[in-house]
Coordinates of all heavy atoms in Angstrom, one line a residue:
M237 N -0.4 23.7 9.6 CA 0.9 24.2 9.3 C 1.0 24.9 8.0 O 1.7 25.9 7.8 CB 1.9 23.1 9.4 CG 2.3 22.6 10.8 SD 3.7 21.5 10.8 CE 2.9 20.0 10.3
V242 N 3.7 27.7 8.3 CA 4.8 27.1 9.0 C 5.7 26.3 8.1 O 6.9 26.2 8.2 CB 4.3 26.2 10.2 CG1 5.4 25.4 10.9 CG2 3.5 27.1 11.2
A243 N 5.0 25.7 7.1 CA 5.7 24.8 6.2 C 4.9 24.7 4.9 O 3.7 25.0 4.8 CB 6.0 23.4 6.7
T244 N 5.6 24.3 3.8 CA 5.0 24.1 2.5 C 4.5 22.7 2.4 O 4.8 21.8 3.1 CB 6.0 24.4 1.4 OG1 7.0 23.4 1.4 CG2 6.6 25.7 1.5
E246 N 5.4 20.7 0.1 CA 6.5 19.8 -0.2 C 7.3 19.5 1.1 O 7.7 18.3 1.2 CB 7.4 20.6 -1.2 CG 6.9 20.7 -2.6 CD 5.8 21.8 -2.7 OE1 5.7 22.7 -1.8 OE2 5.1 21.8 -3.7
E247 N 7.5 20.4 2.0 CA 8.2 20.2 3.2 C 7.4 19.2 4.1 O 8.1 18.3 4.7 CB 8.4 21.5 4.0 CG 9.5 22.4 3.3 CD 9.5 23.8 4.0 OE1 8.5 24.2 4.5 OE2 10.6 24.3 4.0
I248 N 6.2 19.4 4.2 CA 5.4 18.5 5.0 C 5.4 17.1 4.5 O 5.6 16.1 5.2 CB 3.9 19.0 5.1 CG1 4.0 20.3 6.0 CG2 3.0 18.0 5.9 CD1 2.6 21.1 5.9
D249 N 5.1 16.9 3.2 CA 5.1 15.6 2.6 C 6.4 14.9 2.5 O 6.6 13.7 2.7 CB 4.4 15.6 1.2 CG 2.9 15.5 1.3 OD1 2.4 15.6 2.4 OD2 2.2 15.4 0.2
S250 N 7.5 15.7 2.3 CA 8.8 15.1 2.2 C 9.2 14.6 3.6 O 9.8 13.5 3.7 CB 9.8 16.2 1.8 OG 11.1 15.7 1.7
T251 N 8.9 15.4 4.6 CA 9.2 14.9 6.0 C 8.4 13.7 6.4 O 8.9 12.8 7.0 CB 8.9 16.1 7.0 OG1 9.7 17.2 6.6 CG2 9.2 15.7 8.4
T252 N 7.1 13.7 6.0 CA 6.2 12.6 6.4 C 6.6 11.3 5.8 O 6.7 10.3 6.4 CB 4.8 12.9 6.0 OG1 4.4 14.2 6.5 CG2 3.8 11.9 6.6
H255 N 11.2 11.0 5.9 CA 12.0 11.1 7.1 C 11.3 10.3 8.2 O 11.9 9.5 9.0 CB 12.2 12.5 7.6 CG 13.2 12.6 8.7 ND1 14.6 12.7 8.4 CD2 13.0 12.7 10.0 CE1 15.2 12.7 9.6 NE2 14.3 12.8 10.6
M256 N 9.9 10.5 8.3 CA 9.2 9.8 9.4 C 8.9 8.4 8.9 O 8.4 7.5 9.7 CB 7.9 10.6 9.7 CG 8.2 11.9 10.3 SD 6.7 12.9 10.6 CE 5.9 12.0 11.9
T325 N 12.3 14.3 -2.1 CA 12.9 13.5 -1.1 C 13.7 14.3 -0.1 O 14.1 13.8 1.0 CB 13.8 12.4 -1.7 OG1 14.8 13.1 -2.4 CG2 13.0 11.6 -2.7
D326 N 14.0 15.6 -0.4 CA 15.1 16.3 0.3 C 14.6 17.6 1.0 O 15.4 18.5 1.2 CB 16.2 16.6 -0.7 CG 15.8 17.4 -1.9 OD1 14.6 17.6 -2.0 OD2 16.6 17.9 -2.6
E327 N 13.3 17.7 1.3 CA 12.8 18.9 1.9 C 12.4 18.7 3.3 O 11.3 19.1 3.8 CB 11.7 19.6 1.0 CG 12.2 20.0 -0.3 CD 11.3 21.1 -1.0 OE1 10.6 21.8 -0.2 OE2 11.3 21.1 -2.2
Y328 N 13.2 18.0 4.1 CA 12.9 17.7 5.5 C 12.8 19.0 6.3 O 13.6 19.9 6.2 CB 14.0 16.8 6.1 CG 14.0 16.7 7.5 CD1 13.0 16.1 8.2 CD2 15.1 17.3 8.3 CE1 13.0 16.0 9.6 CE2 15.0 17.2 9.7 CZ 14.0 16.5 10.3 OH 14.0 16.5 11.7
S329 N 11.8 19.0 7.2 CA 11.7 20.1 8.2 C 11.6 19.5 9.6 O 10.7 18.7 9.9 CB 10.4 20.9 7.9 OG 10.0 21.7 9.0
E330 N 12.5 19.9 10.5 CA 12.5 19.4 11.8 C 11.2 19.9 12.6 O 10.6 19.1 13.3 CB 13.7 19.9 12.6 CG 13.8 19.4 14.0 CD 15.0 19.9 14.7 OE1 15.8 20.7 14.1 OE2 15.3 19.5 15.9
E331 N 10.7 21.1 12.3 CA 9.5 21.6 12.9 C 8.3 20.8 12.5 O 7.4 20.5 13.4 CB 9.3 23.1 12.5 CG 8.1 23.8 13.1 CD 8.2 24.0 14.6 OE1 9.3 23.8 15.2 OE2 7.1 24.3 15.2
V332 N 8.3 20.4 11.3 CA 7.1 19.6 10.8 C 7.2 18.2 11.6 O 6.1 17.8 12.1 CB 7.2 19.3 9.3 CG1 6.3 18.2 8.9 CG2 6.9 20.6 8.5
E333 N 8.3 17.6 11.7 CA 8.4 16.3 12.3 C 8.0 16.5 13.8 O 7.2 15.6 14.3 CB 9.8 15.8 12.3 CG 10.0 14.4 13.0 CD 11.4 13.9 13.0 OE1 12.3 14.7 12.9 OE2 11.6 12.7 13.1
E334 N 8.4 17.5 14.4 CA 8.1 17.7 15.9 C 6.6 17.9 16.1 O 6.0 17.4 17.0 CB 8.9 18.9 16.4 CG 10.4 18.7 16.6 CD 11.1 19.9 17.1 OE1 10.4 21.0 17.3 OE2 12.3 19.8 17.4
R335 N 6.0 18.7 15.2 CA 4.6 19.0 15.4 C 3.7 17.8 15.1 O 2.7 17.5 15.7 CB 4.1 20.1 14.5 CG 4.7 21.5 14.9 CD 3.9 22.6 14.2 NE 4.5 23.9 14.6 CZ 3.8 25.0 14.6 NH1 2.5 25.0 14.3 NH2 4.4 26.2 14.9
L336 N 4.1 17.0 14.0 CA 3.3 15.9 13.7 C 3.4 14.8 14.7 O 2.5 14.1 15.1 CB 3.7 15.4 12.3 CG 3.3 16.2 11.1 CD1 3.7 15.6 9.8 CD2 1.8 16.5 11.0
N337 N 4.6 14.6 15.2 CA 4.8 13.6 16.3 C 4.1 14.0 17.5 O 3.5 13.2 18.3 CB 6.3 13.4 16.6 CG 6.9 12.3 15.6 OD1 6.3 11.4 15.2 ND2 8.2 12.5 15.3
Y379 N 10.8 7.9 19.5 CA 11.0 9.3 19.3 C 11.2 10.0 20.6 O 12.0 10.9 20.8 CB 9.9 9.9 18.5 CG 10.1 11.4 18.1 CD1 10.9 11.8 17.2 CD2 9.4 12.3 18.8 CE1 11.1 13.1 16.9 CE2 9.5 13.7 18.6 CZ 10.4 14.1 17.6 OH 10.5 15.4 17.3

Side-chain angles (χ1 to χ4, degrees):
M237 284 190 283
V242 173
T244 64
E246 291 76 17
E247 288 172 330
I248 293 167
D249 274 8
S250 182
T251 302
T252 309
H255 192 83
M256 296 174 68
T325 62
D326 58 352
E327 296 201 28
Y328 165 69
S329 164
E330 183 178 5
E331 180 68 14
V332 169
E333 181 184 25
E334 289 179 356
R335 289 195 183 210
L336 290 180
N337 275 328
Y379 180 78

